[in-house]
Amino acid sequence: MKGDDKLKLKRNTAFIMAIIGWATLIVRLKFRIETETVPTTESVLRFLSYFTILTNLLLTIYFTLIALFPKKQSFWNIPGILTALAAFMAFVGVAYHLLLSALWNPTGITYVTDQIHHTLAPAVAVIFWYFYEVKGKVKFKGLVLTLIYPFLYLLWALYRGASADFYPYYFLDTAQLGTQQVLVNAALLFVVLAVFLLIFYGMNRWMAKKHR
């Protein structure tokens, strides 16, 4: 594929995913506000307490900027950012289908938005990473820095649990599991995310060697 065609396909894909991403986030938030009995502010804070939502939000921002400014050099174009997004989104998909999907049975538009966030977006993120991440230029130290995101997320989730008695995931529920067990669960979650990052870093290096 020629360079111009590849750039056009990249931009078009990013444009479509940006539209899908923003529409899905808006629909899910609107539905949450309308169905919950808590104040709107609290409903928004609860919405933003899920790793899935925050990671999909970051991915949507990424796709939006790529669609609008495909050639502009920015933070989002630094080698490793796409790798981190793909790794975290892959975790979202795998964790949901292995651990969380059996806990509820959404229908209608809820099912559609649920599948977009947990199946479509992770799959597209990984495919997009495969084709468009710079091969062999992802720095290990830079990738390690992206772990600041899940670390801050865990602090946020634990804070929300303690201050608002709202736990986005059952394995972070200190009221049911106790503080010690939740801290262990949080540490394990952080390690698993680091492993996902390491796997994607290794695949990027392997693909670079293969292309050589």
Side-chain angles (χ1 to χ4, degrees):
M1 184 180 294
K2 296 180 180 180
D4 290 342
D5 291 337
K6 186 175 182 180
L7 180 62
K8 184 178 180 180
L9 179 60
K10 178 181 180 180
R11 186 176 186 178
N12 289 342
T13 303
F15 180 73
I16 292 170
M17 289 306 298
I19 292 176
I20 293 174
W22 288 119
T24 304
L25 287 165
I26 291 170
V27 168
R28 295 194 79 169
L29 178 58
K30 183 176 183 294
F31 180 80
R32 190 175 194 96
I33 292 173
E34 291 176 346
T35 56
E36 287 190 323
T37 57
V38 298
T40 299
T41 301
E42 175 62 22
S43 187
V44 172
L45 289 174
R46 290 186 177 188
F47 184 69
L48 296 175
S49 295
Y50 290 91
F51 188 77
T52 291
I53 296 299
L54 291 175
T55 309
N56 271 278
L57 175 59
L58 289 175
L59 182 68
T60 301
I61 292 172
Y62 170 82
F63 278 134
T64 301
L65 293 176
I66 293 300
L68 295 176
F69 313 105
K71 295 182 179 181
K72 185 178 180 179
Q73 294 300 314
S74 67
F75 168 80
W76 298 96
N77 284 324
I78 296 174
I81 297 301
L82 180 54
T83 296
L85 285 171
F88 294 149
M89 286 301 300
F91 168 80
V92 165
V94 171
Y96 176 77
H97 288 289
L98 289 182
L99 301 175
L100 302 173
S101 62
L103 300 179
W104 74 320
N105 185 31
T107 58
I109 190 65
T110 303
Y111 174 80
V112 174
T113 56
D114 182 72
Q115 288 302 310
I116 288 174
H117 274 169
H118 294 107
T119 305
L120 176 66
V124 174
V126 172
I127 294 171
F128 200 86
W129 164 83
Y130 176 81
F131 284 106
Y132 299 114
E133 179 62 284
V134 181
K135 307 297 188 294
K137 292 189 178 181
V138 176
K139 304 297 183 182
F140 181 76
K141 290 183 179 180
L143 208 58
V144 169
L145 288 176
T146 64
L147 286 170
I148 293 174
Y149 163 59
F151 178 76
L152 291 177
Y153 166 75
L154 288 169
L155 291 181
W156 165 246
L158 294 175
Y159 166 77
R160 286 289 299 157
S163 62
D165 194 31
F166 174 76
Y167 304 92
Y169 300 106
Y170 68 88
F171 47 81
L172 296 178
D173 189 342
T174 56
Q176 296 293 326
L177 303 177
T179 302
Q180 183 176 355
Q181 183 60 54
V182 166
L183 291 177
V184 170
N185 292 345
L188 288 174
L189 176 62
F190 186 81
V191 170
V192 171
L193 284 164
V195 169
F196 268 75
L197 269 181
L198 187 60
I199 290 172
F200 275 75
Y201 171 73
M203 288 194 294
N204 181 268
R205 288 179 60 85
W206 174 79
M207 287 188 293
K209 292 180 180 179
K210 183 179 179 181
H211 280 87
R212 293 195 193 104

